[in-house]
Amino acid sequence: VQPDHIVTVVDRDWGSGSGWNSIGFTTVHVMPPIVMAIPASTTDQDHEDNHPETTITTSQQEEEEETPQPRRRRRHLVGAGIRSSSSSSDTSHKGGRLGLPNETLHALNTIADANNNNNNSASEALDCLSQHGFYPVYDTGVERLMLLLNHHDKGHSSNKKIKEDNDDHDNKSVQTLWQSSVPTYASSYYSGNSGIAALLRYAEDDCCQGNKPTK
């Protein structure tokens, strides 16, 4: 069975999808930055002695005493498989992705609805993270691309105008196919926690305005 199209996702932290564009893929959507949290300080519990493959050492330390450096593990705010941690210093590797402590989540969820005044809500959410020992970090989003396989072979056309027309037709066809796909894909991140929702919308709004999300 021959596929009609191929879809791939690019992590923009490592670069754009321009390389995929050069081999025929069309960018169909770019997700906004996603917000995560990092503990503001490290403690003895941040040492992952039971998992030496994740510790960070320098060559000098390895030669002298191999003393691992404390490491801050990022906390996920949205997505599947997130488990709440017991505290800001909890770095255990029990199944799932590490999330915020329950106390922090409850505090974030007391923040007013982000749809009413997103700037104020986001500021309150950032203050809340800070009060609980965290600061926000952002990725650069992911890019979704699609390649149609059941159209003409553009490489066999030597006429530049025909190739440009074919490219334009394919791009429109890809966008139409993507928009009508079932199931559909979310165009932005969302959360039932009002404080996290405010942080997500804040990051998305700043991204649309060409700004780097900051407090």
Side-chain angles (χ1 to χ4, degrees):
V1 177
Q2 295 286 336
D4 292 327
H5 59 273
I6 299 173
V7 176
T8 190
V9 176
V10 173
D11 183 344
R12 289 168 63 85
D13 282 349
W14 300 97
S16 70
S18 58
W20 294 92
N21 296 146
S22 68
I23 59 174
F25 280 80
T26 298
T27 299
V28 291
H29 185 67
V30 177
M31 294 290 284
I34 191 170
V35 61
M36 294 167 281
I38 295 289
S41 63
T42 58
T43 69
D44 290 339
Q45 289 175 285
D46 287 314
H47 288 257
E48 299 179 311
D49 297 331
N50 294 327
H51 301 269
E53 70 280 6
T54 64
T55 58
I56 301 173
T57 61
T58 64
S59 58
Q60 182 178 4
Q61 288 170 327
E62 290 173 353
E63 292 174 359
E64 296 178 356
E65 56 184 355
E66 298 187 0
T67 302
Q69 295 297 305
R71 179 183 180 184
R72 299 180 178 94
R73 288 190 64 195
R74 66 181 178 182
R75 311 305 174 93
H76 297 273
L77 276 63
V78 295
I82 297 178
R83 62 175 181 81
S84 298
S85 58
S86 59
S87 68
S88 61
S89 59
D90 180 2
T91 59
S92 59
H93 287 249
K94 301 171 183 176
R97 297 186 296 165
L98 189 61
L100 293 171
N102 284 322
E103 180 183 356
T104 307
L105 290 172
H106 291 323
L108 284 169
N109 205 30
T110 63
I111 293 171
D113 188 349
N115 292 323
N116 293 330
N117 191 326
N118 192 51
N119 287 334
N120 287 345
S121 298
S123 180
E124 290 181 35
L126 290 170
D127 287 340
C128 179
L129 282 179
S130 177
Q131 291 166 10
H132 286 80
F134 294 95
Y135 61 85
V137 291
Y138 306 84
D139 72 359
T140 53
V142 296
E143 185 171 344
R144 292 170 175 155
L145 305 100
M146 180 181 286
L147 172 68
L148 293 185
L149 300 178
N150 59 344
H151 279 252
H152 47 266
D153 183 352
K154 293 180 284 186
H156 285 81
S157 177
S158 60
N159 186 300
K160 182 178 180 180
K161 180 64 169 61
I162 292 176
K163 290 179 70 175
E164 289 177 348
D165 288 344
N166 287 342
D167 287 342
D168 182 60
H169 179 269
D170 275 1
N171 288 338
K172 291 179 180 178
S173 298
V174 167
Q175 292 293 345
T176 299
L177 179 60
W178 177 259
Q179 293 167 9
S180 61
S181 295
V182 178
T184 58
Y185 292 87
S187 60
S188 61
Y189 300 106
Y190 56 90
S191 173
N193 183 299
S194 58
I196 293 177
L199 292 172
L200 293 172
R201 297 294 78 75
Y202 180 65
E204 183 175 358
D205 291 345
D206 269 17
C207 176
C208 292
Q209 296 170 14
N211 302 322
K212 180 181 178 180
T214 57
K215 181 176 177 180

